[in-house]
Amino acid sequence: MSAVFIPYREVFMNYAGIKEYDIANGPGIRFSLFVSGCTHHCRGCFNPDTWSFHYGKPFTKETEDYIIRQLGQDCYQGMTLLGGEPMEPVNQKGLLPLVKRFKETYPEKDLWCFSGYLFDKEILGHFAKIMPETMELLKYIDILVDGEFVLAKKDITLLFKGSSNQRTIDVQKSLHAGVDIHSPVLVERFQHLLPEKNLGFILIHFLLVVIQRSAGRGTRSYIRNHSLACFA
């Protein structure tokens, strides 16, 4: 029997915000969606406002249409899901139509997801057993950064993650290889994930990531509005 998914009108997912031309949450230039709702409540969380499922604005069909339209720009390498917690049950249901449409519309672009839930023990070991949406959602995710943020293991030298316990997982290789769920395929190097640009582009990319992480709000806003889109 095929899975029956909950339609938009019965799903009430809020989102905290959208970050266009993002260069900090995955390789290349990204369109990042911050969903609302997270039950991890990690100490030192960079975005505690998003813990509440009521924070932000309702995610509507109009919101989805806007995201899909904006991602048509050539400068975008892909989309990133974070928050909040994208893998909370209500958010899985709310995100599924978006990511399915994203991959169908732009199969050449990649999808990253940041989750405090562990890929093996909690996403595959629990959610996938009780929610039909979980495996369908994983089918569209290329890279998953998993694990709660642990303040005692914070490491600012890490790329695309905040603490050393977190893992960067190639979801499709892990699923297609049929590996044991306790042995996901980890991504150790990122060169092949970066856009096919020259070395200068890549150096500028990482320089702006460092600036964005350390800058004040005004500078971050300037970077967001005058980002690497001009190099596309």
Side-chain angles (χ1 to χ4, degrees):
M1 179 181 296
S2 60
V4 177
F5 301 111
I6 298 177
Y8 265 115
R9 62 182 180 275
E10 297 179 19
V11 174
F12 300 97
M13 182 183 81
N14 276 16
Y15 72 104
I18 286 171
K19 190 172 185 180
E20 301 186 45
Y21 309 115
D22 187 8
I23 55 172
N25 295 300
I29 301 171
R30 313 196 64 76
F31 191 105
S32 295
L33 172 65
F34 293 78
V35 300
S36 297
C38 179
T39 57
H40 300 295
H41 297 184
C42 301
R43 184 183 174 208
C45 173
F46 82 106
N47 214 2
D49 287 341
T50 64
W51 292 354
S52 170
F53 288 88
H54 303 291
Y55 182 76
K57 298 179 289 187
F59 189 86
T60 65
K61 184 62 165 58
E62 289 71 27
T63 311
E64 178 190 303
D65 290 341
Y66 175 79
I67 293 173
I68 295 298
R69 185 167 61 251
Q70 293 302 105
L71 278 162
Q73 299 177 62
D74 290 339
C75 63
Y76 282 119
Q77 178 169 331
M79 179 169 64
T80 298
L81 307 174
L82 60 171
E85 172 57 73
M87 299 306 290
E88 296 288 4
V90 67
N91 291 339
Q92 289 190 44
K93 295 173 182 178
L95 287 169
L96 184 55
L98 169 67
V99 300
K100 183 176 186 294
R101 185 176 170 191
F102 166 67
K103 278 296 188 176
E104 290 174 348
T105 306
Y106 308 113
E108 75 283 1
K109 297 180 187 284
D110 58 44
L111 179 62
W112 279 51
C113 179
F114 288 77
S115 174
Y117 290 111
L118 295 176
F119 174 72
D120 42 9
K121 296 180 181 179
E122 294 165 317
I123 297 177
L124 288 178
H126 175 62
F127 287 131
K129 295 179 179 179
I130 63 173
M131 294 181 58
E133 292 86 359
T134 300
M135 290 307 297
E136 182 74 6
L137 192 61
L138 289 176
K139 184 172 71 176
Y140 302 111
I141 296 174
D142 295 291
I143 301 295
L144 175 75
V145 179
D146 80 341
E148 295 184 353
F149 172 72
V150 178
L151 187 58
K153 296 183 178 181
K154 179 179 179 179
D155 185 347
I156 62 172
T157 69
L158 296 172
L159 191 59
F160 308 136
K161 50 191 173 186
S163 56
S164 58
N165 61 295
Q166 295 173 320
R167 304 176 298 179
T168 307
I169 297 170
D170 189 316
V171 175
Q172 299 313 306
K173 284 186 178 179
S174 297
L175 296 177
H176 293 162
V179 296
D180 185 275
I181 63 171
H182 299 293
S183 303
V185 178
L186 303 182
V187 178
E188 303 293 345
R189 298 179 181 275
F190 295 91
Q191 287 86 342
H192 68 291
L193 298 176
L194 293 170
E196 295 180 359
K197 303 282 186 178
N198 57 34
L199 179 60
F201 179 95
I202 295 173
L203 290 175
I204 292 172
H205 173 267
F206 284 108
L207 176 61
L208 287 180
V209 169
V210 173
I211 294 173
Q212 191 179 53
R213 286 181 175 179
S214 60
R217 180 171 298 178
T219 304
R220 286 198 297 270
S221 176
Y222 179 88
I223 292 172
R224 180 175 67 249
N225 295 325
H226 301 80
S227 66
L228 292 180
C230 59
F231 288 84

